[in-house]
Structures are given as C-alpha cells and as structure tokens.
Amino acid sequence: NYKTLTARELEVLTLASTGLCNKEIACQLQIAERTVEFHLTHTYQKLRVASRLAAVRWLDSQQAGKE
C-alpha cells in the first residue's frame, strides 16, 4: 500500500507519473539513472504491479482518494 513506499520511491514514481523518462528523473533528483531504475523496480514489487503504467495508475487512484 501507499505507506510501504519510501519517500524516495514515492518521489520517483510521482515524477514518472508526469511523463519524465528515467534519465530526466535522475537529472532532476541528481542521482544515477540506475538508482531510478532500482527505486521503480522496488516500487513495482511493493505494489504488486508489472509496469510503470500500472504503478502510475495506482498513484492516481491514491491521489484521487485523498481529494
């Protein structure tokens, strides 16, 4: 669930949801592109989803629930 993601994983997923590619996310956060991939992979595992799109949809549903 939402609380199982680290702050950094959530930050990376939020940036991914804006359409940024991994390289752009890495530049913005001043981390290695491989680190972005690492965070996204763990995010997918924690959310039990298989893709970036599914993770972004999950994030959208969580944000909609807060409104």
Side-chain angles (χ1 to χ4, degrees):
N1 76 29
Y2 196 61
K3 294 178 184 175
T4 65
L5 298 181
T6 66
R8 189 59 130 187
E9 289 166 346
L10 186 56
E11 185 176 25
V12 169
L13 181 56
T14 300
L15 290 171
S17 75
T18 68
L20 296 179
C21 69
N22 290 357
K23 188 172 187 173
E24 293 167 323
I25 294 169
C27 265
Q28 188 160 336
L29 297 179
Q30 299 181 343
I31 60 177
E33 187 174 354
R34 181 69 186 109
T35 304
V36 172
E37 294 168 5
F38 173 83
H39 287 310
L40 288 172
T41 297
H42 281 146
T43 298
Y44 302 159
Q45 291 171 349
K46 288 179 178 182
L47 299 179
R48 297 181 182 167
V49 298
S51 69
R52 187 183 198 106
L53 179 59
V56 168
R57 285 182 177 161
W58 175 88
L59 181 63
D60 288 344
S61 73
Q62 295 299 306
Q63 292 173 339
K66 286 184 168 184
E67 296 174 0

Short mmCIF file of all heavy atoms in Angstrom, two decimals:
data_model
loop_
_atom_site.label_atom_id
_atom_site.label_comp_id
_atom_site.label_asym_id
_atom_site.label_seq_id
_atom_site.Cartn_x
_atom_site.Cartn_y
_atom_site.Cartn_z
N ASN A 1 0.82 -1.19 0.00
CA ASN A 1 0.00 0.00 0.00
C ASN A 1 0.86 1.25 0.00
O ASN A 1 2.08 1.17 0.03
CB ASN A 1 -1.02 -0.03 1.14
CG ASN A 1 -0.45 0.26 2.51
OD1 ASN A 1 0.52 0.97 2.65
ND2 ASN A 1 -1.07 -0.30 3.52
N TYR A 2 0.22 2.37 0.02
CA TYR A 2 0.86 3.68 -0.08
C TYR A 2 1.95 3.88 0.97
O TYR A 2 2.99 4.44 0.70
CB TYR A 2 -0.25 4.73 0.09
CG TYR A 2 0.09 6.13 -0.33
CD1 TYR A 2 0.45 6.42 -1.65
CD2 TYR A 2 0.02 7.17 0.57
CE1 TYR A 2 0.72 7.71 -2.04
CE2 TYR A 2 0.28 8.47 0.19
CZ TYR A 2 0.63 8.74 -1.12
OH TYR A 2 0.90 10.01 -1.50
N LYS A 3 1.71 3.40 2.17
CA LYS A 3 2.65 3.61 3.27
C LYS A 3 3.89 2.74 3.17
O LYS A 3 4.86 3.00 3.86
CB LYS A 3 1.93 3.38 4.60
CG LYS A 3 0.86 4.40 4.85
CD LYS A 3 0.13 4.14 6.14
CE LYS A 3 -0.99 5.14 6.29
NZ LYS A 3 -1.81 4.88 7.45
N THR A 4 3.87 1.72 2.34
CA THR A 4 5.03 0.85 2.24
C THR A 4 6.13 1.44 1.36
O THR A 4 7.27 1.01 1.42
CB THR A 4 4.67 -0.55 1.69
OG1 THR A 4 4.22 -0.40 0.35
CG2 THR A 4 3.63 -1.23 2.54
N LEU A 5 5.79 2.43 0.56
CA LEU A 5 6.80 3.07 -0.29
C LEU A 5 7.63 4.04 0.53
O LEU A 5 7.10 4.76 1.38
CB LEU A 5 6.13 3.83 -1.44
CG LEU A 5 5.31 3.03 -2.44
CD1 LEU A 5 4.76 3.95 -3.52
CD2 LEU A 5 6.13 1.93 -3.07
N THR A 6 8.94 4.06 0.25
CA THR A 6 9.78 5.05 0.89
C THR A 6 9.48 6.42 0.29
O THR A 6 8.88 6.52 -0.79
CB THR A 6 11.27 4.74 0.69
OG1 THR A 6 11.59 4.87 -0.71
CG2 THR A 6 11.63 3.34 1.20
N ALA A 7 9.93 7.46 0.95
CA ALA A 7 9.72 8.81 0.44
C ALA A 7 10.36 8.96 -0.94
O ALA A 7 9.79 9.57 -1.84
CB ALA A 7 10.29 9.84 1.41
N ARG A 8 11.52 8.37 -1.13
CA ARG A 8 12.23 8.48 -2.41
C ARG A 8 11.50 7.70 -3.50
O ARG A 8 11.40 8.17 -4.63
CB ARG A 8 13.67 7.99 -2.27
CG ARG A 8 14.52 8.28 -3.47
CD ARG A 8 14.57 9.79 -3.75
NE ARG A 8 15.93 10.19 -3.92
CZ ARG A 8 16.34 11.43 -4.06
NH1 ARG A 8 15.47 12.41 -4.05
NH2 ARG A 8 17.59 11.72 -4.19
N GLU A 9 11.02 6.51 -3.17
CA GLU A 9 10.26 5.73 -4.16
C GLU A 9 9.02 6.49 -4.60
O GLU A 9 8.70 6.53 -5.79
CB GLU A 9 9.86 4.36 -3.57
CG GLU A 9 11.03 3.41 -3.41
CD GLU A 9 10.73 2.22 -2.54
OE1 GLU A 9 9.71 2.21 -1.83
OE2 GLU A 9 11.55 1.27 -2.56
N LEU A 10 8.35 7.10 -3.66
CA LEU A 10 7.16 7.89 -3.98
C LEU A 10 7.53 9.10 -4.83
O LEU A 10 6.82 9.44 -5.78
CB LEU A 10 6.46 8.32 -2.69
CG LEU A 10 5.13 9.02 -2.85
CD1 LEU A 10 4.14 8.17 -3.64
CD2 LEU A 10 4.55 9.35 -1.47
N GLU A 11 8.64 9.73 -4.51
CA GLU A 11 9.10 10.88 -5.28
C GLU A 11 9.42 10.49 -6.72
O GLU A 11 9.02 11.17 -7.67
CB GLU A 11 10.35 11.47 -4.60
CG GLU A 11 10.87 12.73 -5.22
CD GLU A 11 12.04 13.31 -4.45
OE1 GLU A 11 12.75 12.57 -3.74
OE2 GLU A 11 12.24 14.53 -4.57
N VAL A 12 10.12 9.36 -6.89
CA VAL A 12 10.45 8.87 -8.23
C VAL A 12 9.18 8.51 -9.00
O VAL A 12 9.02 8.88 -10.17
CB VAL A 12 11.42 7.66 -8.15
CG1 VAL A 12 11.56 6.98 -9.50
CG2 VAL A 12 12.78 8.12 -7.64
N LEU A 13 8.25 7.83 -8.36
CA LEU A 13 7.00 7.45 -9.01
C LEU A 13 6.19 8.69 -9.40
O LEU A 13 5.60 8.74 -10.48
CB LEU A 13 6.18 6.53 -8.11
CG LEU A 13 4.85 6.03 -8.69
CD1 LEU A 13 5.05 5.32 -10.02
CD2 LEU A 13 4.15 5.13 -7.69
N THR A 14 6.17 9.68 -8.53
CA THR A 14 5.45 10.91 -8.84
C THR A 14 6.03 11.59 -10.06
O THR A 14 5.30 12.04 -10.95
CB THR A 14 5.47 11.86 -7.62
OG1 THR A 14 4.84 11.20 -6.52
CG2 THR A 14 4.75 13.16 -7.91
N LEU A 15 7.35 11.65 -10.16
CA LEU A 15 7.99 12.24 -11.34
C LEU A 15 7.71 11.39 -12.58
O LEU A 15 7.47 11.93 -13.66
CB LEU A 15 9.49 12.40 -11.10
CG LEU A 15 9.87 13.48 -10.09
CD1 LEU A 15 11.36 13.42 -9.77
CD2 LEU A 15 9.49 14.85 -10.61
N ALA A 16 7.73 10.08 -12.43
CA ALA A 16 7.42 9.20 -13.56
C ALA A 16 6.00 9.44 -14.05
O ALA A 16 5.73 9.39 -15.25
CB ALA A 16 7.61 7.73 -13.16
N SER A 17 5.11 9.74 -13.13
CA SER A 17 3.71 9.97 -13.49
C SER A 17 3.52 11.24 -14.31
O SER A 17 2.50 11.41 -14.97
CB SER A 17 2.82 9.99 -12.25
OG SER A 17 2.97 11.20 -11.55
N THR A 18 4.51 12.13 -14.28
CA THR A 18 4.42 13.37 -15.07
C THR A 18 4.92 13.15 -16.50
O THR A 18 4.88 14.08 -17.30
CB THR A 18 5.23 14.51 -14.43
OG1 THR A 18 6.62 14.20 -14.50
CG2 THR A 18 4.79 14.76 -13.00
N GLY A 19 5.42 11.94 -16.78
CA GLY A 19 5.88 11.64 -18.13
C GLY A 19 7.38 11.72 -18.32
O GLY A 19 7.88 11.50 -19.43
N LEU A 20 8.11 12.00 -17.25
CA LEU A 20 9.56 12.05 -17.37
C LEU A 20 10.13 10.65 -17.57
O LEU A 20 9.63 9.68 -16.99
CB LEU A 20 10.19 12.67 -16.11
CG LEU A 20 9.87 14.12 -15.79
CD1 LEU A 20 10.56 14.54 -14.50
CD2 LEU A 20 10.27 15.04 -16.93
N CYS A 21 11.19 10.55 -18.35
CA CYS A 21 11.88 9.27 -18.51
C CYS A 21 12.87 9.11 -17.35
O CYS A 21 13.12 10.06 -16.59
CB CYS A 21 12.59 9.19 -19.86
SG CYS A 21 13.99 10.31 -20.01
N ASN A 22 13.42 7.92 -17.21
CA ASN A 22 14.33 7.65 -16.10
C ASN A 22 15.52 8.61 -16.07
O ASN A 22 15.93 9.06 -15.01
CB ASN A 22 14.83 6.20 -16.16
CG ASN A 22 13.74 5.21 -15.83
OD1 ASN A 22 12.62 5.59 -15.50
ND2 ASN A 22 14.04 3.94 -15.95
N LYS A 23 16.06 8.91 -17.23
CA LYS A 23 17.21 9.81 -17.31
C LYS A 23 16.84 11.21 -16.82
O LYS A 23 17.61 11.85 -16.09
CB LYS A 23 17.73 9.87 -18.74
CG LYS A 23 19.03 10.61 -18.90
CD LYS A 23 19.58 10.46 -20.31
CE LYS A 23 20.97 11.06 -20.40
NZ LYS A 23 21.60 10.78 -21.68
N GLU A 24 15.67 11.68 -17.19
CA GLU A 24 15.20 13.00 -16.74
C GLU A 24 14.95 13.03 -15.24
O GLU A 24 15.26 14.01 -14.56
CB GLU A 24 13.93 13.40 -17.50
CG GLU A 24 14.16 13.65 -18.97
CD GLU A 24 12.88 13.74 -19.78
OE1 GLU A 24 11.91 13.00 -19.48
OE2 GLU A 24 12.84 14.56 -20.72
N ILE A 25 14.39 11.94 -14.71
CA ILE A 25 14.16 11.83 -13.27
C ILE A 25 15.50 11.87 -12.54
O ILE A 25 15.66 12.58 -11.55
CB ILE A 25 13.38 10.55 -12.92
CG1 ILE A 25 11.96 10.61 -13.50
CG2 ILE A 25 13.33 10.33 -11.41
CD1 ILE A 25 11.20 9.29 -13.44
N ALA A 26 16.46 11.12 -13.06
CA ALA A 26 17.79 11.08 -12.45
C ALA A 26 18.43 12.46 -12.42
O ALA A 26 19.00 12.87 -11.40
CB ALA A 26 18.68 10.10 -13.22
N CYS A 27 18.32 13.18 -13.52
CA CYS A 27 18.87 14.55 -13.59
C CYS A 27 18.20 15.45 -12.56
O CYS A 27 18.88 16.19 -11.84
CB CYS A 27 18.66 15.13 -14.98
SG CYS A 27 20.06 14.91 -16.05
N GLN A 28 16.89 15.39 -12.50
CA GLN A 28 16.15 16.26 -11.59
C GLN A 28 16.49 15.97 -10.13
O GLN A 28 16.59 16.89 -9.32
CB GLN A 28 14.65 16.12 -11.82
CG GLN A 28 13.86 17.14 -11.05
CD GLN A 28 12.47 17.34 -11.61
OE1 GLN A 28 12.19 17.08 -12.76
NE2 GLN A 28 11.58 17.81 -10.76
N LEU A 29 16.66 14.69 -9.80
CA LEU A 29 16.95 14.32 -8.41
C LEU A 29 18.44 14.25 -8.10
O LEU A 29 18.82 13.98 -6.96
CB LEU A 29 16.29 12.97 -8.09
CG LEU A 29 14.77 12.93 -8.17
CD1 LEU A 29 14.25 11.54 -7.87
CD2 LEU A 29 14.15 13.96 -7.23
N GLN A 30 19.25 14.45 -9.13
CA GLN A 30 20.71 14.37 -9.01
C GLN A 30 21.17 13.03 -8.46
O GLN A 30 21.95 12.94 -7.50
CB GLN A 30 21.24 15.54 -8.16
CG GLN A 30 20.93 16.88 -8.78
CD GLN A 30 21.46 18.04 -7.97
OE1 GLN A 30 21.80 17.92 -6.80
NE2 GLN A 30 21.53 19.20 -8.61
N ILE A 31 20.62 11.98 -9.07
CA ILE A 31 21.01 10.61 -8.75
C ILE A 31 21.29 9.88 -10.06
O ILE A 31 20.98 10.38 -11.14
CB ILE A 31 19.91 9.86 -7.94
CG1 ILE A 31 18.59 9.79 -8.72
CG2 ILE A 31 19.71 10.52 -6.57
CD1 ILE A 31 17.47 9.02 -8.03
N ALA A 32 21.87 8.71 -9.97
CA ALA A 32 22.17 7.92 -11.16
C ALA A 32 20.89 7.35 -11.76
O ALA A 32 19.94 7.05 -11.04
CB ALA A 32 23.13 6.78 -10.81
N GLU A 33 20.89 7.20 -13.07
CA GLU A 33 19.74 6.61 -13.76
C GLU A 33 19.48 5.20 -13.23
O GLU A 33 18.33 4.78 -13.08
CB GLU A 33 19.99 6.59 -15.26
CG GLU A 33 18.79 6.14 -16.06
CD GLU A 33 19.01 6.26 -17.56
OE1 GLU A 33 20.05 6.80 -17.99
OE2 GLU A 33 18.13 5.80 -18.31
N ARG A 34 20.53 4.47 -12.93
CA ARG A 34 20.38 3.11 -12.38
C ARG A 34 19.66 3.14 -11.03
O ARG A 34 18.90 2.23 -10.71
CB ARG A 34 21.77 2.46 -12.24
CG ARG A 34 21.72 1.05 -11.72
CD ARG A 34 21.11 0.11 -12.75
NE ARG A 34 20.94 -1.20 -12.17
CZ ARG A 34 19.77 -1.75 -11.85
NH1 ARG A 34 18.65 -1.12 -12.09
NH2 ARG A 34 19.71 -2.95 -11.32
N THR A 35 19.88 4.18 -10.26
CA THR A 35 19.20 4.32 -8.97
C THR A 35 17.71 4.53 -9.17
O THR A 35 16.88 3.99 -8.43
CB THR A 35 19.82 5.47 -8.15
OG1 THR A 35 21.22 5.23 -8.01
CG2 THR A 35 19.18 5.59 -6.77
N VAL A 36 17.35 5.29 -10.19
CA VAL A 36 15.93 5.48 -10.54
C VAL A 36 15.31 4.13 -10.87
O VAL A 36 14.23 3.79 -10.39
CB VAL A 36 15.77 6.47 -11.71
CG1 VAL A 36 14.33 6.50 -12.19
CG2 VAL A 36 16.23 7.86 -11.32
N GLU A 37 16.01 3.35 -11.70
CA GLU A 37 15.51 2.02 -12.08
C GLU A 37 15.34 1.14 -10.84
O GLU A 37 14.35 0.41 -10.73
CB GLU A 37 16.48 1.36 -13.06
CG GLU A 37 16.56 2.07 -14.40
CD GLU A 37 17.71 1.61 -15.27
OE1 GLU A 37 18.42 0.65 -14.90
OE2 GLU A 37 17.91 2.22 -16.33
N PHE A 38 16.28 1.22 -9.93
CA PHE A 38 16.22 0.46 -8.68
C PHE A 38 14.97 0.84 -7.88
O PHE A 38 14.22 -0.03 -7.43
CB PHE A 38 17.51 0.76 -7.88
CG PHE A 38 17.53 0.20 -6.49
CD1 PHE A 38 17.90 -1.11 -6.25
CD2 PHE A 38 17.20 0.99 -5.39
CE1 PHE A 38 17.94 -1.62 -4.97
CE2 PHE A 38 17.24 0.49 -4.10
CZ PHE A 38 17.60 -0.83 -3.89
N HIS A 39 14.73 2.15 -7.72
CA HIS A 39 13.56 2.60 -6.97
C HIS A 39 12.26 2.15 -7.65
O HIS A 39 11.32 1.71 -6.98
CB HIS A 39 13.56 4.12 -6.83
CG HIS A 39 14.57 4.64 -5.86
ND1 HIS A 39 14.71 4.16 -4.58
CD2 HIS A 39 15.49 5.62 -5.99
CE1 HIS A 39 15.67 4.82 -3.96
NE2 HIS A 39 16.17 5.70 -4.80
N LEU A 40 12.20 2.26 -8.97
CA LEU A 40 10.99 1.86 -9.68
C LEU A 40 10.76 0.35 -9.58
O LEU A 40 9.63 -0.09 -9.37
CB LEU A 40 11.05 2.30 -11.14
CG LEU A 40 10.88 3.81 -11.36
CD1 LEU A 40 11.15 4.17 -12.82
CD2 LEU A 40 9.49 4.28 -10.94
N THR A 41 11.81 -0.43 -9.70
CA THR A 41 11.68 -1.88 -9.58
C THR A 41 11.13 -2.27 -8.22
O THR A 41 10.20 -3.08 -8.12
CB THR A 41 13.04 -2.58 -9.82
OG1 THR A 41 13.45 -2.30 -11.16
CG2 THR A 41 12.94 -4.08 -9.62
N HIS A 42 11.66 -1.66 -7.17
CA HIS A 42 11.15 -1.96 -5.83
C HIS A 42 9.72 -1.47 -5.65
O HIS A 42 8.92 -2.12 -4.98
CB HIS A 42 12.06 -1.35 -4.76
CG HIS A 42 13.29 -2.18 -4.54
ND1 HIS A 42 14.50 -1.65 -4.22
CD2 HIS A 42 13.48 -3.52 -4.62
CE1 HIS A 42 15.38 -2.63 -4.10
NE2 HIS A 42 14.79 -3.76 -4.35
N THR A 43 9.39 -0.35 -6.26
CA THR A 43 8.02 0.16 -6.21
C THR A 43 7.06 -0.82 -6.85
O THR A 43 6.01 -1.14 -6.28
CB THR A 43 7.94 1.54 -6.90
OG1 THR A 43 8.77 2.45 -6.18
CG2 THR A 43 6.52 2.06 -6.93
N TYR A 44 7.42 -1.32 -8.02
CA TYR A 44 6.56 -2.30 -8.72
C TYR A 44 6.35 -3.54 -7.85
O TYR A 44 5.24 -4.06 -7.76
CB TYR A 44 7.15 -2.73 -10.06
CG TYR A 44 7.43 -1.63 -11.05
CD1 TYR A 44 8.35 -1.82 -12.08
CD2 TYR A 44 6.80 -0.39 -10.98
CE1 TYR A 44 8.62 -0.82 -13.00
CE2 TYR A 44 7.07 0.62 -11.89
CZ TYR A 44 7.98 0.40 -12.90
OH TYR A 44 8.26 1.38 -13.80
N GLN A 45 7.43 -4.01 -7.22
CA GLN A 45 7.32 -5.20 -6.37
C GLN A 45 6.41 -4.93 -5.17
O GLN A 45 5.56 -5.76 -4.84
CB GLN A 45 8.72 -5.62 -5.89
CG GLN A 45 9.58 -6.18 -7.00
CD GLN A 45 11.02 -6.38 -6.57
OE1 GLN A 45 11.46 -5.93 -5.51
NE2 GLN A 45 11.78 -7.07 -7.41
N LYS A 46 6.58 -3.80 -4.54
CA LYS A 46 5.77 -3.48 -3.36
C LYS A 46 4.29 -3.31 -3.71
O LYS A 46 3.43 -3.69 -2.93
CB LYS A 46 6.28 -2.19 -2.70
CG LYS A 46 7.60 -2.38 -1.98
CD LYS A 46 8.05 -1.07 -1.37
CE LYS A 46 9.34 -1.24 -0.60
NZ LYS A 46 9.77 0.04 0.04
N LEU A 47 4.03 -2.74 -4.88
CA LEU A 47 2.64 -2.51 -5.29
C LEU A 47 2.05 -3.72 -6.00
O LEU A 47 0.86 -3.74 -6.32
CB LEU A 47 2.56 -1.29 -6.22
CG LEU A 47 3.01 0.04 -5.63
CD1 LEU A 47 2.89 1.14 -6.67
CD2 LEU A 47 2.20 0.38 -4.39
N ARG A 48 2.90 -4.71 -6.27
CA ARG A 48 2.49 -5.92 -6.99
C ARG A 48 1.92 -5.59 -8.36
O ARG A 48 0.83 -6.05 -8.73
CB ARG A 48 1.51 -6.74 -6.16
CG ARG A 48 2.14 -7.24 -4.89
CD ARG A 48 1.19 -8.07 -4.09
NE ARG A 48 1.85 -8.48 -2.85
CZ ARG A 48 1.23 -8.99 -1.84
NH1 ARG A 48 -0.06 -9.19 -1.88
NH2 ARG A 48 1.89 -9.32 -0.77
N VAL A 49 2.66 -4.75 -9.08
CA VAL A 49 2.30 -4.39 -10.45
C VAL A 49 3.47 -4.75 -11.35
O VAL A 49 4.60 -4.92 -10.89
CB VAL A 49 1.94 -2.89 -10.59
CG1 VAL A 49 0.73 -2.55 -9.73
CG2 VAL A 49 3.11 -1.99 -10.24
N ALA A 50 3.19 -4.85 -12.64
CA ALA A 50 4.21 -5.30 -13.58
C ALA A 50 4.75 -4.20 -14.49
O ALA A 50 5.65 -4.46 -15.28
CB ALA A 50 3.65 -6.44 -14.44
N SER A 51 4.21 -2.99 -14.35
CA SER A 51 4.66 -1.97 -15.30
C SER A 51 4.58 -0.57 -14.69
O SER A 51 3.90 -0.34 -13.68
CB SER A 51 3.79 -2.00 -16.55
OG SER A 51 2.47 -1.55 -16.24
N ARG A 52 5.25 0.34 -15.36
CA ARG A 52 5.23 1.74 -14.99
C ARG A 52 3.81 2.29 -15.07
O ARG A 52 3.36 3.01 -14.17
CB ARG A 52 6.16 2.49 -15.96
CG ARG A 52 6.42 3.94 -15.66
CD ARG A 52 7.30 4.50 -16.79
NE ARG A 52 7.95 5.72 -16.43
CZ ARG A 52 9.23 5.85 -16.13
NH1 ARG A 52 10.03 4.81 -16.16
NH2 ARG A 52 9.73 7.02 -15.83
N LEU A 53 3.10 1.94 -16.13
CA LEU A 53 1.73 2.41 -16.31
C LEU A 53 0.84 1.96 -15.15
O LEU A 53 0.06 2.75 -14.60
CB LEU A 53 1.16 1.92 -17.64
CG LEU A 53 -0.29 2.32 -17.93
CD1 LEU A 53 -0.45 3.83 -17.94
CD2 LEU A 53 -0.73 1.73 -19.26
N ALA A 54 0.97 0.71 -14.75
CA ALA A 54 0.15 0.20 -13.64
C ALA A 54 0.50 0.93 -12.34
O ALA A 54 -0.39 1.24 -11.54
CB ALA A 54 0.35 -1.30 -13.49
N ALA A 55 1.77 1.22 -12.13
CA ALA A 55 2.18 1.93 -10.92
C ALA A 55 1.64 3.36 -10.93
O ALA A 55 1.17 3.86 -9.90
CB ALA A 55 3.71 1.94 -10.80
N VAL A 56 1.69 4.01 -12.08
CA VAL A 56 1.16 5.38 -12.20
C VAL A 56 -0.35 5.38 -11.98
O VAL A 56 -0.89 6.26 -11.31
CB VAL A 56 1.55 6.00 -13.56
CG1 VAL A 56 0.77 7.27 -13.83
CG2 VAL A 56 3.06 6.25 -13.61
N ARG A 57 -1.04 4.38 -12.52
CA ARG A 57 -2.49 4.28 -12.28
C ARG A 57 -2.78 4.11 -10.81
O ARG A 57 -3.74 4.67 -10.28
CB ARG A 57 -3.08 3.12 -13.09
CG ARG A 57 -3.21 3.45 -14.54
CD ARG A 57 -3.84 2.31 -15.30
NE ARG A 57 -4.03 2.66 -16.70
CZ ARG A 57 -4.21 1.79 -17.67
NH1 ARG A 57 -4.22 0.50 -17.41
NH2 ARG A 57 -4.36 2.20 -18.91
N TRP A 58 -1.96 3.31 -10.12
CA TRP A 58 -2.12 3.12 -8.69
C TRP A 58 -1.95 4.46 -7.97
O TRP A 58 -2.75 4.82 -7.10
CB TRP A 58 -1.10 2.10 -8.17
CG TRP A 58 -1.16 1.96 -6.69
CD1 TRP A 58 -1.96 1.12 -5.96
CD2 TRP A 58 -0.40 2.71 -5.73
NE1 TRP A 58 -1.75 1.32 -4.61
CE2 TRP A 58 -0.80 2.28 -4.45
CE3 TRP A 58 0.57 3.70 -5.83
CZ2 TRP A 58 -0.26 2.81 -3.29
CZ3 TRP A 58 1.11 4.24 -4.68
CH2 TRP A 58 0.68 3.79 -3.42
N LEU A 59 -0.91 5.21 -8.35
CA LEU A 59 -0.66 6.51 -7.73
C LEU A 59 -1.84 7.45 -7.96
O LEU A 59 -2.29 8.13 -7.03
CB LEU A 59 0.62 7.13 -8.29
CG LEU A 59 1.01 8.49 -7.71
CD1 LEU A 59 1.30 8.39 -6.22
CD2 LEU A 59 2.21 9.05 -8.46
N ASP A 60 -2.35 7.48 -9.17
CA ASP A 60 -3.52 8.32 -9.49
C ASP A 60 -4.71 7.95 -8.61
O ASP A 60 -5.42 8.83 -8.12
CB ASP A 60 -3.90 8.19 -10.96
CG ASP A 60 -2.91 8.88 -11.89
OD1 ASP A 60 -2.10 9.71 -11.42
OD2 ASP A 60 -2.94 8.58 -13.10
N SER A 61 -4.93 6.66 -8.42
CA SER A 61 -6.06 6.23 -7.60
C SER A 61 -5.88 6.64 -6.13
O SER A 61 -6.85 6.99 -5.45
CB SER A 61 -6.28 4.73 -7.70
OG SER A 61 -5.28 4.01 -7.01
N GLN A 62 -4.64 6.63 -5.65
CA GLN A 62 -4.36 7.04 -4.28
C GLN A 62 -4.58 8.53 -4.11
O GLN A 62 -5.16 8.97 -3.11
CB GLN A 62 -2.91 6.69 -3.89
CG GLN A 62 -2.63 5.21 -3.85
CD GLN A 62 -3.49 4.50 -2.84
OE1 GLN A 62 -3.54 4.85 -1.66
NE2 GLN A 62 -4.21 3.49 -3.29
N GLN A 63 -4.14 9.30 -5.08
CA GLN A 63 -4.31 10.75 -5.02
C GLN A 63 -5.78 11.14 -5.15
O GLN A 63 -6.23 12.08 -4.49
CB GLN A 63 -3.45 11.43 -6.09
CG GLN A 63 -1.97 11.28 -5.80
CD GLN A 63 -1.08 11.79 -6.92
OE1 GLN A 63 -1.49 11.91 -8.06
NE2 GLN A 63 0.15 12.08 -6.57
N ALA A 64 -6.53 10.41 -5.96
CA ALA A 64 -7.97 10.69 -6.11
C ALA A 64 -8.69 10.41 -4.79
O ALA A 64 -9.64 11.11 -4.44
CB ALA A 64 -8.55 9.84 -7.23
N GLY A 65 -8.25 9.41 -4.06
CA GLY A 65 -8.86 9.06 -2.80
C GLY A 65 -8.63 10.10 -1.70
O GLY A 65 -9.38 10.18 -0.74
N LYS A 66 -7.59 10.92 -1.87
CA LYS A 66 -7.27 11.95 -0.88
C LYS A 66 -8.08 13.21 -1.08
O LYS A 66 -8.18 14.04 -0.21
CB LYS A 66 -5.78 12.32 -0.96
CG LYS A 66 -4.87 11.28 -0.39
CD LYS A 66 -3.46 11.80 -0.44
CE LYS A 66 -2.52 10.95 0.38
NZ LYS A 66 -1.17 11.48 0.40
N GLU A 67 -8.66 13.37 -2.26
CA GLU A 67 -9.40 14.60 -2.59
C GLU A 67 -10.81 14.57 -2.03
O GLU A 67 -11.40 13.64 -1.74
CB GLU A 67 -9.42 14.79 -4.10
CG GLU A 67 -8.03 15.01 -4.66
CD GLU A 67 -8.02 15.05 -6.18
OE1 GLU A 67 -9.07 14.91 -6.83
OE2 GLU A 67 -6.93 15.19 -6.72
#
